[in-house]
Amino acid sequence: MRIENEGDDVSAPPRHLVFAYYVTGHGFGHATRVVEVARHLILAGHDVHVVSAAPDFVYTTEIQSPRLHIRKVLLDCGAVQADALTVDRLASLEKYHETAVVPRDSILRTEVEWLNSIKADLVVSDVVPVACRAAADAGIRSVCVTNFSWDFIYAEYVMAAGHHHRSIVWQIAEDYSHCEFLIRLPGYCPMPAFRDVIDVPLVVRRLHRSRKEVRIELGVGDDVKLLILNFGGQPGGWKFKEEFLPAGWKCLVCGASEKDELPPNFLKLAKDAYTPDIIAASDCMLGKIGYGTASEALAFKLPFVFVRRDYFNEEPFLRNLLEHYQCGVEMIRRDLLTGHWRPYIERAMSLNPCYEGGTNGGEVAARILQDTAVGKNYVSYKLSGARRLRDAIVLGFQLQRIPGRDLSIPGWYADAQNEFGRRSGSPNFGTNGTVDYLDSSFIKEFEILHGDHHDLPDTKSFLKSLADLAERDTEKCQTREHKAAAAFFNWEEEIFVARAPGRLDVMGGIADYSGSLVLQMPIREACHVAVQKNHPSRQRLWKHALARQQDKGQGLTPVLQIVSYGAELSYRSPTFDMNLSDFMDEGKPISYEKAKNYFARDPSQKWAAYVAGTILVLMTELGVKFENGISMLVSSAVPEGKGVSSSASVEVASMSAIAAAHGLNISSRDLALLCQKVENHIVGAPCGVMDQMASACGEANKLLAMVCQPAEVLGLVEIPGHMRFWGFDSGIRHSVGGADYGSVRIGAFMGQKMIMTTASELLSGSLSSADITNPHDLEESSLELIESEANLDYLCNLSPHRYEASYAKLLPETMLGDKFLEKYGDHNDHVTVIDPKYNYNVKAAARHPIYENFRVKAFKALLTSTASDEQLTALGELMYQCHYSYSACGLGSDGTDRIVHLVQEMQHNKLLKADDTSLYGAKITGGGSGGTVCVISRNSLRANQQILEIQQKYKAATGYMPFVFEGSSPGAGKFGFLKVRLASQRKIEDQLL
């Protein structure tokens, strides 16, 4: 139901009403729109009790009436921001748990008592969940007024950062379900928890003064252009410079500290300045997107230059609203912080904002609330069920983040794709809900000048997406990343395409950094990268990149431009660009440390380090000179944060495509080692090399056997036909950049240094007899062995029996960093740094790789033994041992432990016949602390059924349906590369004959 204008004001009802209006604790934006609704209710003669943590002036500046009552209470916390542009997802969940979950029973008792004491006729919420439940407990109707709900916002946070807080989302959704209906504002997100919806126009605060009056008060003439800087408080330490602005412009700064010194063309606004008047008197706004800034920019037709906020899940929908009405221009954060504002302001001034919709949403909402309070029932939204289903699917797709695998998605789901952005590299859906893997007819639009697509469905799909871009099909290029990619390729020139898969860690895992043997399987999901190089005179630059060159007076210079598909699904910027000269300093490549800091400046573009970092590594390690501009399109179907090497696949595919485009002949092994440098030194993740090796050197349906010293491939092991490996996603986000992985790695290197030091002291005779655990070590026949251990190059070269005999009792369970540094000096690991105040787990961390190397060797040997139930049981037992060794290191998680337990439960179910046992073992993979579990089974229909049973049991226990990885595909080396060019019309016609 949509309600627009219905009269000039809210007419008084038969009786005086009391409204309890709950306002979320997230920023001032909610409070400012509540003001407009509450003002109309008070004008109609009603009392409004506002429950809010916002300062009183937010309400009293606009409403000066005894009918306004303010109660200072915080019942939720919204999103906790790390800074002005970044949300801290885990901190948000923990704060909400502290604010609203722990004291929930007390909150409900207090609110019910208070609602009864004021004799509330209606509870209104924007958009405090517990208010709806409290209203229901008090027997009072409730209505929500909002453009988003907290179950939508927190659901993604739970997926990414706080799986143990999953119950928060369900509780919030249940609270909202007690609400009578939702008054939905423009720019809305999916909100399936609400039963009925009424759409209203924008809620916009009224103006108090004219543009002329505001400018007179500011002392600014009509000939001066005004930019209002509206970030709700500027980022700390931000220094403005006069040259940030175009000539003839002044900047009005909201929220500036009294201590801040501003250039003469920047003006501080008072903290209580009435922002709508200032916005209407300005010529352009620069800020972050929120409902208040977006609605006022639209209402006053003000061009809005906005900067993306990380993990601010409401933003894509408000941004779509701005861009639909030609009101918004995105500025990348790097240019915001470096003061490169002019091109964006000039671009914004060329827009023609065209919003003509209603702006009286406050009045319309107040009328609906008044009618509801006196008992009027608004007609149920006829399509409520379909609307809730659509919202639920959009929400579910956003959380799952794995395109191309939800086989029952209906055709109308395309609307959801338009909201969230589309990712190529995945199968299409047929009308019957089955996967349509595309025939090869579309390839005729390209000439394949080199290489073979190997009949891989995802490669065909990626080439199809390139063909769509080349056609400039406006319907298929609706998302910003598609538009950006369509604009930067010269379709008459050659394009180079590389493909690199993710990997399933079958055995070895974190022991790679200690030199272990590992067994890795390349998975079906992969990353594709398309690269084109062009002379600077022929490179098609985005407008802001061209303006940057002109602004610096550089003339033609090579530029790197990158588009990443699926950006909306990861809340990162979809594009990145830089001058390649930024990688040079006085004729030499910049240091890796400097590059790491360069990419870390903007969290929304930190992803570009995985792609652009490959160029710097090639410059530094191989002396490659890049004299042409480079355009790169990255499309990855390897899901992030699930422990299947999404980052390695991006690095390997990127470097492979760049190498192909520049005629570089790099072996798969060397390319993997170079990509490891990208991750270790430019991204800053202390991973071993097995991920990159598996992605580069692996082959379909084979295990890559590699000794990580540093990367010696022993060969490829065929996966026997009677067994199968699966990957179970636990739903708990994994990161090799996380603290747990890094501290365990440091603990292992500490243990190695202690072992080497002990061996050296044995040789020199300086070790006291009390510290000698194996008297045989003093015998002359042992000296050669002790000498090799004193010079231990990799911890895995120490055998388990030697560890137990001579060193196990000497290693402490834990050790503080400063104690270790004081005694041993350094831990000899160039990619990690010891924190003096951290207490490291030494013994378990050192023991794990020593025993894991033995387990992997045994596993590899068993793979070639006679097929039998005993063989599969032994392989499974080795995987179980690995899993519990991870846990001893502190790298386990509830979700992965649950999956392993479900496998064991299925394996040892006494109700099953012996022949029905199809699952034999499971282990956590990769860096641990969540991510994916590897399962070994028979290759049988029964195994498939049991895998599905475990999937359902896990969902029943956790609410999360685990994604299952199955199948394999070739590594980047086996795939090679494609060189393609858009076919001429004549060739297309000839091929079709």
Side-chain angles (χ1 to χ4, degrees):
M1 179 186 298
R2 175 172 289 281
I3 298 181
E4 300 286 355
N5 300 338
E6 285 187 4
D8 296 325
D9 213 330
V10 182
S11 56
R15 64 184 179 87
H16 165 265
L17 299 170
V18 176
F19 294 87
Y21 211 138
Y22 287 82
V23 188
T24 189
H26 179 68
F28 289 174
H30 296 264
T32 56
R33 71 187 181 202
V34 165
V35 165
E36 191 62 18
V37 180
R39 185 174 68 84
H40 284 285
L41 290 172
I42 289 171
L43 286 174
H46 308 306
D47 276 45
V48 178
H49 293 256
V50 173
V51 182
S52 170
D56 289 359
F57 77 82
V58 175
Y59 302 98
T60 56
T61 300
E62 180 66 5
I63 304 174
Q64 298 174 357
S65 168
R67 294 189 180 278
L68 173 67
H69 312 272
I70 301 175
R71 177 171 166 243
K72 300 298 284 291
V73 178
L74 178 65
L75 297 180
D76 68 359
C77 62
V80 176
Q81 294 191 203
D83 55 47
L85 296 172
T86 306
V87 170
D88 187 327
R89 293 174 290 181
L90 183 56
S92 298
L93 294 170
E94 291 176 344
K95 183 68 174 177
Y96 185 88
H97 184 264
E98 174 189 323
T99 305
V101 176
V102 174
R104 178 178 173 83
D105 292 342
S106 173
I107 289 172
L108 285 171
R109 285 194 301 270
T110 301
E111 294 313 301
V112 169
E113 181 180 341
W114 177 74
L115 289 171
N116 288 327
S117 72
I118 65 170
K119 297 180 171 58
D121 295 289
L122 185 71
V123 171
V124 189
S125 178
D126 183 357
V127 61
V128 180
V130 74
C132 302
R133 176 58 185 268
D137 289 353
I140 304 169
R141 299 171 81 184
S142 63
V143 175
C144 284
V145 184
T146 187
N147 65 305
F148 74 83
S149 57
W150 286 114
D151 54 336
F152 171 80
I153 302 296
Y154 285 156
E156 193 276 333
Y157 295 0
V158 167
M159 299 294 295
H163 185 274
H164 53 292
H165 289 304
R166 184 178 295 279
S167 60
I168 286 176
V169 175
W170 308 130
Q171 185 64 70
I172 291 174
E174 183 184 335
D175 286 347
Y176 286 145
S177 70
H178 293 286
C179 169
E180 193 89 2
F181 58 85
L182 165 68
I183 296 177
R184 188 168 65 177
L185 305 178
Y188 56 81
C189 304
M191 292 179 278
F194 297 99
R195 291 173 294 178
D196 283 303
V197 165
I198 298 174
D199 288 310
V200 300
L202 287 174
V203 175
V204 181
R205 289 179 289 176
R206 62 176 177 166
L207 297 178
H208 291 170
R209 293 169 297 169
S210 68
R211 174 185 172 94
K212 183 177 181 180
E213 290 171 334
V214 172
R215 283 178 166 255
I216 288 173
E217 182 178 318
L218 293 172
V220 176
D222 289 338
D223 59 329
V224 175
K225 296 288 186 182
L226 284 181
L227 174 74
I228 177 170
L229 189 73
N230 193 358
F231 280 94
Q234 70 187 74
W238 195 1
K239 301 297 183 183
F240 301 111
K241 296 181 180 179
E242 192 170 350
E243 57 268 25
F244 285 10
L245 300 177
W249 281 75
K250 287 185 180 292
C251 181
L252 308 175
V253 183
C254 298
S257 168
E258 293 180 1
K259 300 177 181 178
D260 290 341
E261 294 184 7
L262 301 180
N265 53 348
F266 284 73
L267 305 176
K268 291 181 188 177
L269 291 174
K271 289 193 177 297
D272 59 352
Y274 189 61
T275 312
D277 287 348
I278 307 295
I279 290 174
S282 299
D283 298 284
C284 185
M285 177 159 55
L286 171 56
K288 57 188 179 184
I289 293 181
Y291 184 84
T293 53
S295 62
E296 286 165 0
L298 290 166
F300 305 137
K301 293 184 170 58
L302 186 74
F304 185 6
V305 178
F306 58 84
V307 181
R308 178 186 293 261
R309 282 196 271 183
D310 293 327
Y311 314 121
F312 186 66
N313 299 356
E314 176 193 14
E315 182 178 285
F317 302 91
L318 292 173
R319 188 180 64 241
N320 286 346
L321 192 66
L322 287 168
E323 293 178 344
H324 179 75
Y325 291 107
Q326 301 180 45
C327 198
V329 173
E330 181 181 351
M331 174 187 283
I332 62 176
R333 192 178 305 187
R334 184 176 75 245
D335 286 341
L336 171 74
L337 299 176
T338 58
H340 188 64
W341 297 2
R342 186 177 61 80
Y344 298 95
I345 295 172
E346 291 174 352
R347 167 64 181 146
M349 294 304 292
S350 70
L351 298 178
N352 183 26
C354 58
Y355 180 77
E356 299 293 345
T359 58
N360 64 333
E363 176 190 340
V364 174
R367 186 185 311 116
I368 296 168
L369 294 173
Q370 175 183 275
D371 291 347
T372 304
V374 297
K376 179 177 178 179
N377 290 316
Y378 277 83
V379 178
S380 179
Y381 185 38
K382 291 181 179 179
L383 299 178
S384 178
R387 189 272 308 167
R388 295 180 77 187
L389 177 60
R390 181 198 66 207
D391 280 5
I393 290 176
V394 176
L395 174 59
F397 183 74
Q398 182 223 15
L399 301 183
Q400 193 69 12
R401 304 256 172 107
I402 306 171
R405 296 304 294 274
D406 301 294
L407 301 186
S408 59
I409 294 176
W412 48 262
Y413 182 73
D415 291 339
Q417 288 182 312
N418 291 340
E419 290 280 43
F420 280 98
R422 298 177 298 174
R423 186 187 300 191
S424 180
S426 305
N428 287 351
F429 298 103
T431 55
N432 62 353
T434 60
V435 179
D436 174 13
Y437 278 120
L438 301 170
D439 60 36
S440 60
S441 61
F442 71 90
I443 299 175
K444 293 172 183 174
E445 298 178 32
F446 280 103
E447 295 179 77
I448 297 183
L449 306 174
H450 174 88
D452 180 8
H453 57 70
H454 298 273
D455 204 32
L456 291 166
D458 60 345
T459 301
K460 292 180 181 180
S461 181
F462 180 72
L463 292 175
K464 179 65 168 66
S465 73
L466 282 180
D468 292 340
L469 294 177
E471 291 173 4
R472 314 294 204 280
D473 189 323
T474 56
E475 185 176 331
K476 294 176 181 176
C477 294
Q478 290 178 345
T479 59
R480 291 183 304 145
E481 56 256 43
H482 283 72
K483 290 178 181 178
F488 75 176
F489 280 133
N490 282 322
W491 296 106
E492 298 78 16
E493 303 294 336
E494 297 168 348
I495 296 174
F496 294 80
V497 176
R499 176 191 184 277
R503 65 95 187 97
L504 181 64
D505 167 34
V506 175
M507 286 294 285
I510 59 168
D512 65 339
Y513 53 64
S514 293
S516 177
L517 171 67
V518 297
L519 296 172
Q520 307 296 307
M521 183 183 82
I523 60 176
R524 183 173 62 186
E525 291 75 14
C527 174
H528 287 81
V529 174
V531 167
Q532 185 178 76
K533 63 173 184 176
N534 288 110
H535 187 272
S537 63
R538 291 181 54 79
Q539 189 175 15
R540 301 177 64 184
L541 296 179
W542 295 320
K543 290 182 179 179
H544 69 271
L546 181 61
R548 182 174 62 235
Q549 285 194 358
Q550 294 171 343
D551 195 38
K552 294 182 177 180
Q554 292 176 320
L556 296 175
T557 186
V559 173
L560 171 65
Q561 298 182 124
I562 307 171
V563 172
S564 173
Y565 279 176
E568 301 301 349
L569 303 179
S570 301
Y571 300 95
R572 49 182 163 79
S573 178
T575 62
F576 173 85
D577 65 273
M578 62 179 290
N579 293 343
L580 285 172
S581 59
D582 290 346
F583 275 153
M584 300 296 291
D585 184 13
E586 296 183 355
K588 297 180 180 180
I590 62 174
S591 68
Y592 290 149
E593 184 65 26
K594 191 171 182 179
K596 178 182 174 183
N597 295 333
Y598 177 91
F599 289 109
R601 289 186 303 182
D602 183 351
S604 72
Q605 293 196 320
K606 189 176 180 180
W607 62 267
Y610 295 97
V611 183
T614 61
I615 293 176
L616 179 60
V617 168
L618 289 172
M619 295 168 69
T620 303
E621 306 299 328
L622 302 185
V624 180
K625 294 184 179 180
F626 293 95
E627 298 175 347
N628 292 311
I630 300 173
S631 299
M632 301 182 69
L633 173 61
V634 181
S635 175
S636 181
V638 184
E640 299 174 24
K642 301 192 183 299
V644 289
S645 299
S646 57
S647 59
S649 66
V650 170
E651 293 156 357
V652 171
S654 297
M655 188 173 287
S656 297
I658 290 169
H662 292 82
L664 304 176
N665 186 17
I666 307 173
S667 71
S668 298
R669 176 187 180 276
D670 289 345
L671 187 135
L673 290 168
L674 291 170
C675 288
Q676 185 196 19
K677 290 183 180 292
V678 176
E679 187 134 3
N680 285 170
H681 302 301
I682 299 177
V683 176
C687 70
V689 74
M690 76 174 188
D691 296 357
Q692 290 80 8
M693 286 293 291
S695 186
C697 305
E699 292 188 19
N701 301 312
K702 297 178 182 178
L703 299 180
L704 178 73
M706 179 183 71
V707 177
C708 302
Q709 301 189 14
E712 305 307 319
V713 175
L714 297 186
L716 294 157
V717 182
E718 289 275 359
I719 298 174
H722 67 285
M723 70 178 67
R724 192 171 184 182
F725 295 102
W726 309 76
F728 256 90
D729 162 37
S730 67
I732 301 172
R733 190 172 180 86
H734 147 90
S735 171
V736 295
D740 287 339
Y741 174 90
S743 65
V744 172
R745 175 171 175 146
I746 290 172
F749 276 89
M750 281 181 166
Q752 180 180 344
K753 184 64 175 285
M754 293 178 187
I755 289 169
M756 293 170 66
T757 301
T758 300
S760 296
E761 291 174 347
L762 276 169
L763 286 174
S764 65
S766 61
L767 195 66
S768 66
S769 58
D771 291 331
I772 299 174
T773 60
N774 183 7
H776 297 294
D777 287 340
L778 299 177
E779 297 174 3
E780 188 173 344
S781 59
S782 299
L783 291 181
E784 186 175 342
L785 184 62
I786 301 297
E787 186 175 356
S788 68
E789 291 164 356
N791 296 290
L792 195 63
D793 48 356
Y794 290 95
L795 187 54
C796 286
N797 290 340
L798 182 68
S799 63
H801 78 271
R802 282 296 302 151
Y803 167 76
E804 294 294 346
S806 301
Y807 304 107
K809 294 179 181 178
L810 296 177
L811 292 185
E813 294 291 337
T814 62
M815 178 174 271
L816 280 170
D818 59 355
K819 296 294 185 185
F820 177 88
L821 292 170
E822 180 181 337
K823 185 172 182 179
Y824 297 98
D826 188 23
H827 65 319
N828 300 333
D829 181 21
H830 63 282
V831 299
T832 57
V833 177
I834 293 176
D835 180 352
K837 297 181 180 179
Y838 192 89
N839 195 29
Y840 291 94
N841 183 342
V842 176
K843 193 165 191 173
R847 185 181 189 274
H848 173 82
I850 293 169
Y851 276 85
E852 181 69 359
N853 188 43
F854 174 79
R855 285 189 289 263
V856 183
K857 288 179 178 179
F859 196 96
K860 180 174 178 287
L862 279 167
L863 284 172
T864 59
S865 65
T866 304
S868 66
D869 196 65
E870 289 76 14
Q871 177 208 32
L872 289 168
T873 301
L875 290 169
E877 177 61 29
L878 290 169
M879 294 177 75
Y880 287 140
Q881 290 180 18
C882 171
H883 177 79
Y884 292 112
S885 184
Y886 262 76
S887 296
C889 293
L891 292 176
S893 73
D894 291 342
T896 50
D897 286 347
R898 184 182 293 277
I899 292 171
V900 171
H901 176 73
L902 288 171
V903 172
Q904 292 173 346
E905 192 178 70
M906 191 76 71
Q907 180 185 2
H908 302 301
N909 188 342
K910 293 182 179 179
L911 298 178
L912 294 176
K913 296 179 183 178
D915 292 343
D916 283 344
T917 300
S918 298
L919 307 183
Y920 291 89
K923 61 175 279 287
I924 196 170
T925 64
S929 299
T932 295
V933 169
C934 178
V935 178
I936 185 172
S937 77
R938 282 192 182 276
N939 189 5
S940 65
L941 178 61
R942 182 60 182 146
N944 284 40
Q945 293 169 340
Q946 290 184 336
I947 289 291
L948 291 174
E949 287 179 44
I950 289 176
Q951 207 177 15
Q952 293 299 329
K953 286 182 178 180
Y954 189 80
K955 181 185 179 184
T958 66
Y960 177 78
M961 175 64 84
F963 177 78
V964 177
F965 295 95
E966 55 179 310
S968 185
S969 67
K974 191 70 174 178
F975 180 86
F977 67 90
L978 295 174
K979 180 165 67 172
V980 301
R981 182 171 56 205
L982 195 65
S984 65
Q985 186 61 36
R986 176 173 296 235
K987 285 193 176 183
I988 293 175
E989 291 170 355
D990 290 343
Q991 289 170 330
L992 292 174
L993 291 177

